[in-house]
Amino acid sequence: MVEQGRRHGGSRRSQVRRAELIAIGRRLFGDTPYDALSMDDIAQQAGVAKGLVYYYFTSKRGFYLAVIEDSVGDLLALAAVHPGLPAAERVRRTVDGYLRYADRHRAAYRTLVTGGVGSDAEVLAVRDAVREELAATVAEGAYGHRALPPLARLALVGWLAGVEAVTLDWIGVPGPADRPGPLDRPGPPDRPSRTVLCALLVRQLRATLEVIEGFVPECPAPPPAPAPFDLAPVTGTA
């Protein structure tokens, strides 16, 4: 029993160490291009032997993919559906969570959406899986279920592609997240606040859901919230 406990303790220590390395990787890849980082740099910044990084991740690319997958988990958690709320508010919180993630983790978001290292097939596969999960999350918020008829799915994937392009442009403009202080305070005049951008994307989504209803009657658009409501900051977030 003592030996078993030691093994479990070692496993927990390994999980903690691996998580610590991934956290360091998120910072490093956020500040430095992939090609400019070596395994020696990563090990030095982490304060560990290079062999330990190889032990957990096999290669720099394996380490990079682990960082991306960890970032995806955070994105999906922030965009998750909030049960018990009206459909319009569930959808709005999903979009706001998506934008919060992109603004807080700009380098990771760009890597995820654009494919990262060249046209890395595994990163692109992760990106496609995230799109499918987000489409299902929006469907759950709007319709109360995740399954989508093919045409409705295509319409939501098209909306998501637009969201990605708009978000990439938005995080490329210096703004509140580049300075200390609340993330959603007013920034330069050419960078809308997260609240305003969220309202814009939610209204575009509303239009998409109405188009879906016209083609797929079994997917009726949820009742809209009053127009000023979507311009109010999402409560309980920062």
Side-chain angles (χ1 to χ4, degrees):
M1 292 294 292
V2 174
E3 183 62 25
Q4 185 180 15
R6 286 176 179 166
R7 286 199 300 268
H8 286 170
S11 176
R12 285 193 292 272
R13 285 194 297 272
S14 295
Q15 291 171 4
V16 169
R17 175 52 61 88
R18 187 178 189 276
E20 289 172 348
L21 290 172
I22 287 175
I24 291 168
R26 288 176 67 158
R27 174 175 58 81
L28 291 176
F29 287 121
D31 296 337
T32 310
Y34 175 89
D35 290 335
L37 273 178
S38 68
M39 288 294 267
D40 288 319
D41 296 329
I42 293 168
Q44 182 178 7
Q45 289 293 322
V48 300
K50 182 168 63 173
L52 188 67
V53 185
Y54 278 111
Y55 172 76
Y56 283 113
F57 305 104
T58 306
S59 64
K60 184 175 79 168
R61 183 172 175 278
F63 181 50
Y64 177 75
L65 288 172
V67 169
I68 292 297
E69 289 172 358
D70 185 70
S71 300
V72 165
D74 283 355
L75 170 57
L76 295 179
L78 282 171
V81 166
H82 299 261
L85 295 173
E89 178 64 2
R90 291 199 302 265
V91 168
R92 189 169 77 110
R93 284 177 179 264
T94 290
V95 175
D96 181 75
Y98 183 94
L99 293 174
R100 269 191 296 141
Y101 174 84
D103 206 14
R104 289 177 174 178
H105 307 287
R106 297 183 180 186
Y109 179 81
R110 288 191 192 97
T111 298
L112 178 61
V113 170
T114 61
V117 187
S119 297
D120 190 294
E122 288 191 55
V123 175
L124 292 174
V126 171
R127 181 199 63 188
D128 291 344
V130 169
R131 284 178 178 167
E132 293 296 332
E133 178 62 24
L134 287 171
T137 298
V138 170
E140 186 176 2
Y143 306 128
H145 57 80
R146 296 169 61 84
L148 282 168
L151 194 59
R153 175 193 159 276
L154 283 175
L156 286 180
V157 169
W159 173 78
L160 279 168
V163 169
E164 290 173 358
V166 168
T167 304
L168 282 171
D169 190 87
W170 180 64
I171 64 175
V173 179
D178 299 316
R179 306 188 302 271
L183 285 174
D184 204 34
R185 70 187 181 187
D190 54 352
R191 185 183 195 267
S193 70
R194 192 182 82 223
T195 296
V196 170
L197 182 59
C198 179
L200 172 68
L201 296 175
V202 167
R203 292 187 192 185
Q204 290 177 337
L205 175 59
R206 173 70 193 173
T208 299
L209 294 174
E210 289 174 351
V211 169
I212 290 173
E213 181 179 5
F215 283 88
V216 189
E218 62 267 34
C219 292
F229 169 78
D230 61 9
L231 284 168
V234 175
T235 58
T237 65

PDB file of all heavy atoms in Angstrom, residues 135 148-160 208 212:
ATOM      1  N   ALA A 135     -19.570  25.611 -32.700  1.00  0.00           N
ATOM      2  CA  ALA A 135     -20.857  25.570 -33.394  1.00  0.00           C
ATOM      3  C   ALA A 135     -21.882  24.807 -32.560  1.00  0.00           C
ATOM      4  O   ALA A 135     -23.039  25.223 -32.433  1.00  0.00           O
ATOM      5  CB  ALA A 135     -20.701  24.934 -34.778  1.00  0.00           C
ATOM      6  N   LEU A 148     -27.030  19.436 -34.983  1.00  0.00           N
ATOM      7  CA  LEU A 148     -27.421  20.410 -36.000  1.00  0.00           C
ATOM      8  C   LEU A 148     -27.665  19.728 -37.336  1.00  0.00           C
ATOM      9  O   LEU A 148     -26.840  18.903 -37.764  1.00  0.00           O
ATOM     10  CB  LEU A 148     -26.317  21.455 -36.190  1.00  0.00           C
ATOM     11  CG  LEU A 148     -26.212  22.569 -35.144  1.00  0.00           C
ATOM     12  CD1 LEU A 148     -24.896  23.324 -35.330  1.00  0.00           C
ATOM     13  CD2 LEU A 148     -27.394  23.517 -35.257  1.00  0.00           C
ATOM     14  N   PRO A 149     -28.761  20.055 -38.026  1.00  0.00           N
ATOM     15  CA  PRO A 149     -28.899  19.606 -39.417  1.00  0.00           C
ATOM     16  C   PRO A 149     -27.757  20.179 -40.260  1.00  0.00           C
ATOM     17  O   PRO A 149     -27.203  21.237 -39.913  1.00  0.00           O
ATOM     18  CB  PRO A 149     -30.254  20.194 -39.838  1.00  0.00           C
ATOM     19  CG  PRO A 149     -30.981  20.469 -38.562  1.00  0.00           C
ATOM     20  CD  PRO A 149     -29.919  20.828 -37.562  1.00  0.00           C
ATOM     21  N   PRO A 150     -27.391  19.519 -41.344  1.00  0.00           N
ATOM     22  CA  PRO A 150     -26.216  19.949 -42.124  1.00  0.00           C
ATOM     23  C   PRO A 150     -26.254  21.409 -42.559  1.00  0.00           C
ATOM     24  O   PRO A 150     -25.231  22.111 -42.465  1.00  0.00           O
ATOM     25  CB  PRO A 150     -26.239  19.002 -43.327  1.00  0.00           C
ATOM     26  CG  PRO A 150     -26.928  17.772 -42.816  1.00  0.00           C
ATOM     27  CD  PRO A 150     -27.964  18.255 -41.853  1.00  0.00           C
ATOM     28  N   LEU A 151     -27.393  21.890 -43.041  1.00  0.00           N
ATOM     29  CA  LEU A 151     -27.449  23.268 -43.525  1.00  0.00           C
ATOM     30  C   LEU A 151     -27.288  24.266 -42.380  1.00  0.00           C
ATOM     31  O   LEU A 151     -26.605  25.292 -42.527  1.00  0.00           O
ATOM     32  CB  LEU A 151     -28.776  23.518 -44.262  1.00  0.00           C
ATOM     33  CG  LEU A 151     -28.835  24.794 -45.103  1.00  0.00           C
ATOM     34  CD1 LEU A 151     -27.742  24.799 -46.171  1.00  0.00           C
ATOM     35  CD2 LEU A 151     -30.209  24.917 -45.766  1.00  0.00           C
ATOM     36  N   ALA A 152     -27.896  23.962 -41.229  1.00  0.00           N
ATOM     37  CA  ALA A 152     -27.747  24.840 -40.065  1.00  0.00           C
ATOM     38  C   ALA A 152     -26.291  24.859 -39.604  1.00  0.00           C
ATOM     39  O   ALA A 152     -25.754  25.916 -39.241  1.00  0.00           O
ATOM     40  CB  ALA A 152     -28.661  24.360 -38.938  1.00  0.00           C
ATOM     41  N   ARG A 153     -25.641  23.699 -39.621  1.00  0.00           N
ATOM     42  CA  ARG A 153     -24.235  23.638 -39.235  1.00  0.00           C
ATOM     43  C   ARG A 153     -23.376  24.495 -40.159  1.00  0.00           C
ATOM     44  O   ARG A 153     -22.505  25.254 -39.705  1.00  0.00           O
ATOM     45  CB  ARG A 153     -23.741  22.189 -39.257  1.00  0.00           C
ATOM     46  CG  ARG A 153     -22.258  22.045 -38.975  1.00  0.00           C
ATOM     47  CD  ARG A 153     -21.725  20.667 -39.310  1.00  0.00           C
ATOM     48  NE  ARG A 153     -20.286  20.723 -39.487  1.00  0.00           N
ATOM     49  CZ  ARG A 153     -19.685  21.072 -40.622  1.00  0.00           C
ATOM     50  NH1 ARG A 153     -20.406  21.374 -41.690  1.00  0.00           N
ATOM     51  NH2 ARG A 153     -18.367  21.115 -40.692  1.00  0.00           N
ATOM     52  N   LEU A 154     -23.610  24.397 -41.464  1.00  0.00           N
ATOM     53  CA  LEU A 154     -22.831  25.190 -42.418  1.00  0.00           C
ATOM     54  C   LEU A 154     -23.009  26.682 -42.168  1.00  0.00           C
ATOM     55  O   LEU A 154     -22.050  27.453 -42.248  1.00  0.00           O
ATOM     56  CB  LEU A 154     -23.251  24.846 -43.852  1.00  0.00           C
ATOM     57  CG  LEU A 154     -22.712  23.536 -44.429  1.00  0.00           C
ATOM     58  CD1 LEU A 154     -23.317  23.288 -45.806  1.00  0.00           C
ATOM     59  CD2 LEU A 154     -21.188  23.569 -44.517  1.00  0.00           C
ATOM     60  N   ALA A 155     -24.233  27.098 -41.872  1.00  0.00           N
ATOM     61  CA  ALA A 155     -24.489  28.518 -41.617  1.00  0.00           C
ATOM     62  C   ALA A 155     -23.729  28.988 -40.384  1.00  0.00           C
ATOM     63  O   ALA A 155     -23.127  30.073 -40.382  1.00  0.00           O
ATOM     64  CB  ALA A 155     -25.990  28.758 -41.446  1.00  0.00           C
ATOM     65  N   LEU A 156     -23.721  28.179 -39.322  1.00  0.00           N
ATOM     66  CA  LEU A 156     -23.003  28.571 -38.105  1.00  0.00           C
ATOM     67  C   LEU A 156     -21.494  28.545 -38.303  1.00  0.00           C
ATOM     68  O   LEU A 156     -20.775  29.404 -37.775  1.00  0.00           O
ATOM     69  CB  LEU A 156     -23.401  27.662 -36.943  1.00  0.00           C
ATOM     70  CG  LEU A 156     -24.789  27.915 -36.352  1.00  0.00           C
ATOM     71  CD1 LEU A 156     -25.060  26.959 -35.205  1.00  0.00           C
ATOM     72  CD2 LEU A 156     -24.936  29.368 -35.890  1.00  0.00           C
ATOM     73  N   VAL A 157     -21.000  27.580 -39.073  1.00  0.00           N
ATOM     74  CA  VAL A 157     -19.559  27.552 -39.375  1.00  0.00           C
ATOM     75  C   VAL A 157     -19.170  28.802 -40.168  1.00  0.00           C
ATOM     76  O   VAL A 157     -18.105  29.394 -39.948  1.00  0.00           O
ATOM     77  CB  VAL A 157     -19.187  26.263 -40.130  1.00  0.00           C
ATOM     78  CG1 VAL A 157     -17.767  26.351 -40.689  1.00  0.00           C
ATOM     79  CG2 VAL A 157     -19.300  25.048 -39.205  1.00  0.00           C
ATOM     80  N   GLY A 158     -20.042  29.228 -41.078  1.00  0.00           N
ATOM     81  CA  GLY A 158     -19.782  30.456 -41.827  1.00  0.00           C
ATOM     82  C   GLY A 158     -19.739  31.675 -40.923  1.00  0.00           C
ATOM     83  O   GLY A 158     -18.853  32.533 -41.056  1.00  0.00           O
ATOM     84  N   TRP A 159     -20.673  31.742 -39.973  1.00  0.00           N
ATOM     85  CA  TRP A 159     -20.656  32.845 -39.002  1.00  0.00           C
ATOM     86  C   TRP A 159     -19.376  32.803 -38.177  1.00  0.00           C
ATOM     87  O   TRP A 159     -18.740  33.842 -37.941  1.00  0.00           O
ATOM     88  CB  TRP A 159     -21.892  32.762 -38.106  1.00  0.00           C
ATOM     89  CG  TRP A 159     -21.872  33.745 -36.974  1.00  0.00           C
ATOM     90  CD1 TRP A 159     -22.152  35.085 -37.037  1.00  0.00           C
ATOM     91  CD2 TRP A 159     -21.526  33.475 -35.608  1.00  0.00           C
ATOM     92  NE1 TRP A 159     -22.003  35.657 -35.790  1.00  0.00           N
ATOM     93  CE2 TRP A 159     -21.624  34.691 -34.890  1.00  0.00           C
ATOM     94  CE3 TRP A 159     -21.163  32.314 -34.920  1.00  0.00           C
ATOM     95  CZ2 TRP A 159     -21.355  34.781 -33.528  1.00  0.00           C
ATOM     96  CZ3 TRP A 159     -20.892  32.388 -33.562  1.00  0.00           C
ATOM     97  CH2 TRP A 159     -20.990  33.612 -32.882  1.00  0.00           C
ATOM     98  N   LEU A 160     -18.967  31.610 -37.748  1.00  0.00           N
ATOM     99  CA  LEU A 160     -17.747  31.482 -36.950  1.00  0.00           C
ATOM    100  C   LEU A 160     -16.509  31.932 -37.727  1.00  0.00           C
ATOM    101  O   LEU A 160     -15.592  32.529 -37.158  1.00  0.00           O
ATOM    102  CB  LEU A 160     -17.565  30.034 -36.482  1.00  0.00           C
ATOM    103  CG  LEU A 160     -18.370  29.629 -35.257  1.00  0.00           C
ATOM    104  CD1 LEU A 160     -18.321  28.111 -35.071  1.00  0.00           C
ATOM    105  CD2 LEU A 160     -17.828  30.331 -34.014  1.00  0.00           C
ATOM    106  N   THR A 208     -28.074  35.371 -38.614  1.00  0.00           N
ATOM    107  CA  THR A 208     -27.776  34.021 -39.124  1.00  0.00           C
ATOM    108  C   THR A 208     -28.821  33.021 -38.640  1.00  0.00           C
ATOM    109  O   THR A 208     -29.288  32.163 -39.406  1.00  0.00           O
ATOM    110  CB  THR A 208     -26.374  33.582 -38.661  1.00  0.00           C
ATOM    111  OG1 THR A 208     -25.403  34.490 -39.184  1.00  0.00           O
ATOM    112  CG2 THR A 208     -26.047  32.171 -39.148  1.00  0.00           C
ATOM    113  N   ILE A 212     -31.275  30.665 -40.814  1.00  0.00           N
ATOM    114  CA  ILE A 212     -31.363  29.217 -40.594  1.00  0.00           C
ATOM    115  C   ILE A 212     -32.817  28.801 -40.432  1.00  0.00           C
ATOM    116  O   ILE A 212     -33.261  27.803 -41.013  1.00  0.00           O
ATOM    117  CB  ILE A 212     -30.539  28.809 -39.355  1.00  0.00           C
ATOM    118  CG1 ILE A 212     -29.046  28.944 -39.651  1.00  0.00           C
ATOM    119  CG2 ILE A 212     -30.865  27.374 -38.929  1.00  0.00           C
ATOM    120  CD1 ILE A 212     -28.160  28.724 -38.438  1.00  0.00           C
TER     121      ILE A 212
END
